[in-house]
Amino acid sequence: MSSKVRSVHPVDEVLPAGRMLAIGLQHVLVMYAGAIAVPLIVGGAFKLPKDQVAFLINADLFACGIATLIQCVGLWKFGIRLPVVMGVTFAAEAPIAAMASRLMRYVPPVVTGTIITVIGLTLLRIGVNWAGGGIGARNFGDPVNLVTMLIVLAVILGVNKLFDGFVASIAVLLGLVVGFAVAMALGLVDFAGVRDAEWFALVNPLRFGAPGFDAAVIATMCIVMIVTMIESTGMFLALGEICERKVGRNDIARGLAADGLGTIIGGLFNTFPYTSFSQNVGLVGVTGVKSRWVVAVSGAILIAFGLFPKMGSVVASIPQPVLGGAGLVMFGMVAATGIKILARVDYASRHNLIIIAVSVAVGMIPVVAPTFFAQLPKWTAPLMGSGITLATVSAVLLNALFNGPETEPAETRRA
C-alpha cells in the first residue's frame, strides 16, 4: 500500500500561530469600517441613545465573528470552507441556494470574468471615497488626506517589491500601521471613542424583545437576500479563482446556506443580515495567503472585539484615507483577477465580446450615475441599485442567449 503523504491545499493549510494572527488581524482592519457602518447608520436613523448604538456595534461584531467561523471552518452543510469574511449587509435559504447553484452551467469564464471584474470596479468606488476622506467628509480630497493615502500605498508597494514570504504577506498591515502613525502625527486621529468605550460588554440575545413577523417586510427582505446571494455567488467564484480551487454547485450551496445562517444569527443577536464580504477578496490576492484558517482567526478576533469594545474602538479610530491606500490595491486586485479570467475566453466569435461589453456597461450604471434608476418603483431599488447584481444577471442571460449552457456541469470539472 502506498505511503505517499497527501499534499495539503493552500486553502486548508494551518500556518504558524504568529503568522495567522498577524494576517487575520489584517483582514479585520480592512473590513472593520464597513462592518460598523450599518449599526451606526441605523442607530442614527432611529435616534437611539449612545449606549444602544454602542451595543449594536458590539453585537454586530460578535455575530459577524460567529458567521465568519461558520463560513470558513464549516458546520455540517453550512460554510463554503474558503477564506471568506462575513459582514453585515443593508439588505429563505434552501430554495434560494438550489436556484443559484443550478445556474452554474451558465457561468463559464466569460461570465465569471465579467462578474469579478465588475465586483472589483464597484469596490474601487469605496476605496476612492476612503482615500479622499470618506463620503460626506468636509475635508474630502484635502491634500493631507491624499498624502496619507499615498504613503500607505507606497509602503504596500515597497514591501511587495523588497520582501518575500511572511513580510510580503503582511504588506497591507504594515501599510496601515505606518499610515496610522502618519495620521496621528498629522492630527487626523480621534481617540475620544476609545476613552468612552467599555472594557467588557456582554451581547445578550433578543435584547430588544421577541421577533415580530410582517408579510410585507418578509417579502421585501426575501428580495434583498436573493440580490445579496447573487453577489455572494460572484464573490465565491472570484475567491475560487484566486485560491486556485474550483467552486462547484455544492460549494455555492454551502456558502449561501452559511449566508442564510449568518442572517439568522444576526437576528438572534439583535443585529442585521450577514453576507460574504467582497472587500476582503482582494486581500487574499495581495497577500497570497489562501488559508481559510487565517480568516477563521479573523472571526475569533471579531468576537473578541464584540466582547471587549475598547479594542474595537482603537481600530475604529483608523482614518479613512489610511484605509483608502490599502483599498486601492485590494479592490484593484479583484478587478485584475476578473481580467485574468477574461484572458482565457475564446474571442473567435464576437458574441463573447458583446456579452462582456454590455454586462460591464450595465454593471457600471449605479457606480457612474447612482440616481439613474431613481424614478423607478422603490421595490426595485435592491435590484437596480447593485451594479454587481445587474452585471451578473446580464452576463448570465446574454451567455444563455448566445452560447447556451455548458455541456459539462461545473461541479464535474473540479481540480
Side-chain angles (χ1 to χ4, degrees):
M1 194 167 179
S2 174
S3 58
K4 289 183 180 179
V5 178
R6 292 181 61 187
S7 59
V8 177
H9 192 282
V11 168
D12 301 315
E13 185 180 5
V14 179
L15 306 178
R19 188 178 182 191
M20 286 209 299
L21 180 61
I23 302 174
L25 177 60
Q26 190 171 234
H27 273 284
V28 172
L29 295 179
V30 165
M31 60 82 66
Y32 193 88
I36 67 173
V38 175
L40 285 173
I41 292 171
V42 172
F46 283 96
K47 296 181 171 56
L48 296 179
K50 185 177 180 180
D51 63 321
Q52 292 192 14
V53 174
F55 172 80
L56 278 180
I57 293 173
N58 298 340
D60 178 29
L61 295 173
F62 181 77
C64 182
I66 295 175
T68 298
L69 283 171
I70 292 172
Q71 191 70 281
C72 295
V73 178
L75 177 66
W76 190 43
K77 294 184 179 181
F78 298 91
I80 195 170
R81 295 163 176 83
L82 284 175
V84 176
V85 176
M86 298 288 282
V88 65
T89 177
F90 285 95
E93 194 38 47
I96 296 174
M99 176 185 68
S101 299
R102 293 188 184 281
L103 292 176
M104 292 301 293
R105 294 179 63 201
Y106 295 90
V107 285
V110 67
V111 175
T112 58
T114 301
I115 295 170
I116 294 167
T117 300
V118 172
I119 290 175
L121 294 176
T122 301
L123 288 172
L124 277 172
R125 177 177 61 178
I126 298 174
V128 171
N129 283 319
W130 282 351
I135 297 176
R138 286 178 294 180
N139 65 337
F140 187 87
D142 189 294
V144 174
N145 293 340
L146 304 185
V147 168
T148 303
M149 175 271 294
L150 287 172
I151 290 174
V152 176
L153 182 59
V155 171
I156 294 172
L157 296 177
V159 170
N160 275 286
K161 171 68 175 177
L162 300 174
F163 298 94
D164 294 311
F166 173 66
V167 176
S169 70
I170 60 169
V172 173
L173 177 60
L174 295 175
L176 292 173
V177 170
V178 172
F180 188 72
V182 170
M184 285 182 60
L186 295 174
L188 300 178
V189 181
D190 181 8
F191 286 110
V194 180
R195 290 191 296 268
D196 297 338
E198 298 179 89
W199 281 103
F200 178 78
L202 288 173
V203 179
N204 301 316
L206 303 178
R207 173 171 171 172
F208 297 107
F213 299 93
D214 181 278
V217 174
I218 291 172
T220 301
M221 287 307 299
C222 283
I223 295 174
V224 171
M225 289 308 298
I226 290 173
V227 172
T228 58
M229 286 180 177
I230 292 172
E231 295 183 2
S232 290
T233 299
M235 195 276 291
F236 294 151
L237 295 171
L239 202 51
E241 288 287 340
I242 293 174
C243 294
E244 298 178 336
R245 171 171 278 185
K246 287 290 184 181
V247 175
R249 180 186 300 176
N250 293 335
D251 302 305
I252 296 291
R254 288 198 307 270
L256 296 182
D259 276 12
L261 182 58
T263 298
I264 294 173
I265 291 171
L268 179 64
F269 285 102
N270 321 282
T271 59
F272 312 94
Y274 286 88
T275 187
S276 307
F277 234 39
S278 53
Q279 294 177 210
N280 288 73
V281 174
L283 185 57
V284 176
V286 172
T287 64
V289 178
K290 305 166 185 175
S291 171
R292 59 192 173 103
W293 299 106
V294 166
V295 178
V297 171
S298 303
I301 293 173
L302 286 167
I303 292 173
F305 280 4
L307 295 174
F308 302 96
K310 199 171 285 289
M311 294 169 54
S313 295
V314 173
V315 179
S317 63
I318 299 177
Q320 298 275 290
V322 175
L323 295 172
L328 293 181
V329 179
M330 295 181 303
F331 305 155
M333 181 65 75
V334 177
T337 300
I339 294 171
K340 178 182 175 182
I341 297 170
L342 291 175
R344 305 202 302 259
V345 174
D346 179 10
Y347 294 104
S349 167
R350 72 182 190 280
H351 291 163
N352 284 335
L353 277 175
I354 292 174
I355 294 169
I356 296 168
V358 173
S359 299
V360 171
V362 170
M364 287 295 97
I365 290 176
V367 177
V368 177
T371 61
F372 189 86
F373 297 111
Q375 300 303 315
L376 295 181
K378 289 185 178 180
W379 65 265
T380 65
L383 298 171
M384 298 303 184
S386 169
I388 298 171
T389 300
L390 291 176
T392 300
V393 172
S394 173
V396 170
L397 292 180
L398 289 177
N399 178 70
L401 174 64
F402 287 112
N403 297 329
E406 289 186 306
T407 56
E408 186 181 10
E411 68 268 23
T412 65
R413 296 183 286 106
R414 298 173 68 84

